[in-house]
């Protein structure tokens, strides 16, 4: 990577907005120096007009769900009826079509200021469960797609073995399953990280991994100090079935099998007991909230304030990609809580930005990203302060404007590892992102 100096008209440095910040990046893709009080762009520097933030982290993604946008907003239904549409598209994916779709989706993320994605990946095999010649062809397609779109990825390779508490996978789910957790571990161990890609683990849910095999997945992650993610208590039906099968809540069952802790992130965590909240907090287990999906599917509002108060760091994800806008996820977390409690100000803008940046990257195993400081990865994004949504407030209120007024449409620049991926709102590697999305989604309808 060629060393470069970027000049941020305004930059959010974790606690405040600083005017005139020179960000020097090195050949290793990290920030080598940070200078404040620089009144004008230095000679040869790249000017970033607006508010520069650390790169946004999308901690929970199912890339192929992007093909469902619009389709699943017709009529009514529940999570369970939505799932039937999802299965139809999952059945049509191939390594080539998934690469094309994911490349376009990850480019859309870059345009939204996202510099790292956590891909919760469970479509492993061919329809019917037959393994590809390369058993990791689907995961490798996602890693390659992220590289071409210019963002980082943590591939959260997901164990998905059962249709529910030990029952055999349904026909739709056969391509998700490795048969056993040991077979899952053998396959995922062959995945090779890359400079832009890390390999983590996921338990799809306690209904999809039999209790006796949870520890195998948790131990694989522990042995590698890798992130471990899990869908948790997204639906009350899952809680009821877990209690019937095991006499425990899903959180309690995960704790019994060593699956909680600081490297674990519970996704959704919508329907928890007081004991669940205390257990997640006391173990330092993180929680990824996905408000736009949770409201789109009418899942409910998770107890985010109580979880954070108990000790769980929060991150954010766009999940099913009803929209891809981490600023909207941050805003929605606060505004949903306001609706539920009829009080305001549960988080400051700075706290919400931390969830969207530093804590999101930590949940994905990128501890040196999510901050604009010397030594950190040179991943940052710039939001306009002069659009119809953001114009007017003083620049020192840029964090509040970014969280409570801006959207993905206000992202002007995205830099990943010092490389200018989005410049003036245009993706430099995927020049026609809308066309790429349209063509890759249309291919799945044929």
């Amino acid at each position: 990577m060629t060393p470069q100096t970027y000049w941020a008209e305004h930059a959010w440095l974790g606690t405040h907005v600083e005017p005139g910040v020179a960000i020097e990046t090195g050949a290793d893709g990290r920030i080598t120096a940070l200078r404040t009080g620089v009144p004008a762009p230095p000679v040869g520097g790249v000017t970033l007009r607006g508010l520069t933030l650390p790169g946004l982290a999308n901690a929970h993604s199912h890339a192929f769900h992007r093909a469902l946008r619009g389709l699943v907003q017709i009529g009514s239904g529940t999570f369970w009826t939505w799932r039937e549409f999802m299965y139809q598209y999952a059945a049509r994916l191939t390594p080539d079509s998934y690469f094309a779709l994911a490349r376009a989706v990850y480019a859309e993320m870059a345009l939204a200021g996202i510099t790292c994605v956590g891909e919760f990946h469970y479509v492993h095999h061919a329809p019917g469960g037959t393994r590809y010649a390369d058993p990791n062809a689907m995961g490798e397609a996602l890693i390659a797609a992220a590289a071409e779109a210019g963002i980082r990825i943590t591939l959260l390779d997901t164990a998905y073995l059962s249709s529910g508490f030990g029952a055999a996978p349904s026909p739709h789910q056969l391509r998700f399953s490795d048969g056993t957790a040991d077979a899952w571990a053998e396959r995922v161990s062959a995945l090779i990280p890359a400079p832009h890609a890390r390999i983590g683990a996921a338990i799809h849910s306690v209904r999809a991994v039999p209790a006796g095999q949870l520890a195998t997945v948790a131990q694989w992650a522990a042995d590698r100090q890798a992130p471990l993610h899990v869908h948790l208590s997204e639906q009350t039906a899952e809680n009821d079935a877990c209690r019937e099968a095991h006499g425990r809540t899903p959180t309690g069952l995960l704790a019994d099998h060593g699956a909680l802790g600081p490297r674990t992130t519970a996704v959704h965590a919508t329907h928890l007991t007081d004991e669940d909240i205390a257990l997640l907090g006391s173990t330092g287990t993180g929680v990824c909230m996905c408000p736009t999906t949770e409201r789109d599917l009418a899942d409910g509002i998770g107890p985010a304030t109580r979880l954070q108060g108990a000790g769980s760091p929060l991150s954010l994800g766009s999940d099913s990609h009803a929209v891809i806008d981490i600023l909207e996820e941050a805003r929605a977390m606060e505004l949903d809580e306001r609706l539920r409690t009829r009080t305001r100000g549960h988080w400051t803008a700075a706290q919400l930005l931390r969830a969207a940046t530093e804590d999101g990257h930590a949940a994905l195993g990128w501890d040196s990203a999510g901050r604009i400081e010397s030594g950190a990865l040179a991943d940052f994004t710039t939001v306009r302060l002069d659009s119809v949504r953001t114009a007017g407030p003083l620049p020192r209120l840029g964090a509040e404007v970014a969280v409570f007024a801006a959207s993905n449409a206000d992202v002007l620049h995205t830099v990943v590892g010092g490389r200018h991926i989005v410049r003036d709102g245009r993706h430099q590697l995927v020049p026609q992102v809308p066309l790429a999305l349209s063509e890759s989604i249309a291919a799945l309808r044929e």
Side-chain angles (χ1 to χ4, degrees):
M1 201 70 61
T2 303
Q4 182 62 269
T5 297
Y6 293 90
W7 179 80
E9 183 181 25
H10 303 279
W12 185 70
L13 302 183
T15 57
H16 66 287
V17 174
E18 185 76 27
V21 178
I23 306 169
E24 298 179 14
T25 66
D28 61 354
R30 292 180 179 268
I31 297 172
T32 57
L34 198 70
R35 292 182 285 122
T36 59
V38 181
V43 175
V46 176
T47 298
L48 306 175
R49 295 285 180 190
L51 174 67
T52 296
L53 307 167
L56 304 175
N58 189 352
H60 189 66
S61 162
H62 303 290
F64 77 93
H65 290 192
R66 174 62 178 81
L68 301 175
R69 186 182 295 177
L71 175 67
V72 292
Q73 277 75 41
I74 299 171
S76 60
T78 66
F79 167 85
W80 306 103
T81 56
W82 168 89
R83 192 173 69 159
E84 294 305 312
F85 283 103
M86 180 271 288
Y87 284 155
Q88 292 175 26
Y89 277 81
R92 299 168 186 165
L93 293 169
T94 67
D96 287 343
S97 67
Y98 206 4
F99 166 80
L101 176 59
R103 173 179 176 266
V105 174
Y106 296 154
E108 181 182 356
M109 291 185 191
L111 288 169
I114 293 164
T115 55
C116 185
V117 61
E119 184 60 42
F120 200 102
H121 166 56
Y122 54 82
V123 187
H124 301 305
H125 309 300
T130 302
R131 291 198 170 202
Y132 291 105
D134 175 358
N136 285 307
M138 295 293 271
E140 288 165 356
L142 293 166
I143 291 171
E148 292 218 1
I151 69 172
R152 303 184 194 277
I153 185 172
T154 296
L155 187 74
L156 298 161
D157 195 287
T158 304
Y160 194 138
L161 310 173
S162 169
S163 63
F165 298 98
S170 72
H172 289 302
Q173 297 164 341
L174 287 171
R175 69 181 311 189
F176 307 162
S177 177
D178 290 294
T180 67
D182 286 335
W184 167 86
E186 180 180 3
R187 178 184 56 75
V188 72
S189 294
L191 280 165
I192 300 173
H196 78 291
R198 295 186 175 171
I199 310 301
I203 294 165
H204 179 274
S205 56
V206 295
R207 70 176 186 272
V209 178
Q213 300 185 60
L214 292 170
T216 300
V217 183
Q219 191 60 52
W220 185 95
D223 289 346
R224 293 158 180 78
Q225 294 293 292
L228 173 65
H229 287 218
V230 55
H231 289 137
L232 179 65
S233 292
E234 183 177 4
Q235 300 292 322
T236 55
E238 177 184 283
N239 291 352
D240 295 342
C242 189
R243 286 191 182 94
E244 182 176 349
H246 299 290
R248 302 281 278 147
T249 65
T251 300
L253 190 65
L254 291 171
D256 291 344
H257 294 276
L260 300 184
R263 285 180 297 95
T264 298
T265 297
V267 182
H268 303 303
T270 307
H271 304 286
L272 303 178
T273 67
D274 292 344
E275 293 76 14
D276 291 339
I277 293 169
L279 189 53
L280 291 169
S282 65
T283 56
T285 301
V287 175
C288 178
M289 308 299 293
C290 305
T292 65
T293 290
E294 290 149 6
R295 69 192 184 193
D296 182 52
L297 297 180
D299 287 342
I301 301 171
T305 53
R306 295 180 60 202
L307 284 161
Q308 190 168 59
S312 291
L314 301 179
S315 55
L316 298 163
S318 63
D319 191 6
S320 68
H321 311 313
V323 297
I324 294 177
D325 189 340
I326 296 300
L327 296 175
E328 171 62 21
E329 303 293 345
R331 174 163 56 246
M333 189 164 72
E334 166 67 24
L335 298 186
D336 286 354
E337 192 67 19
R338 291 183 186 185
L339 283 175
R340 180 168 62 178
T341 62
R342 297 170 65 186
T343 60
R344 304 176 75 222
H346 302 276
W347 293 277
T348 65
Q351 289 171 319
L352 292 167
L353 283 176
R354 180 183 174 108
T357 57
E358 185 172 1
D359 287 346
H361 281 95
L364 299 176
W366 297 89
D367 293 334
S368 58
R371 302 178 301 279
I372 298 177
E373 64 181 33
S374 184
L377 290 171
D379 300 356
F380 38 89
T381 188
T382 303
V383 175
R384 290 180 59 175
L385 294 179
D386 61 354
S387 75
V388 292
R389 289 165 295 278
T390 60
L394 295 171
R396 64 180 175 82
L397 299 175
E400 286 74 16
V401 172
V403 170
F404 292 107
S407 76
N408 53 12
D410 294 307
V411 172
L412 277 175
H413 304 281
T414 301
V415 174
V416 183
R419 187 183 184 193
H420 209 159
I421 301 299
V422 173
R423 185 190 298 263
D424 295 318
R426 293 183 177 274
H427 202 289
Q428 302 300 293
L429 307 178
V430 185
Q432 298 186 60
V433 178
L435 180 62
L437 287 164
S438 296
E439 290 181 343
S440 60
I441 292 170
L444 297 181
R445 290 196 290 261
E446 295 174 355

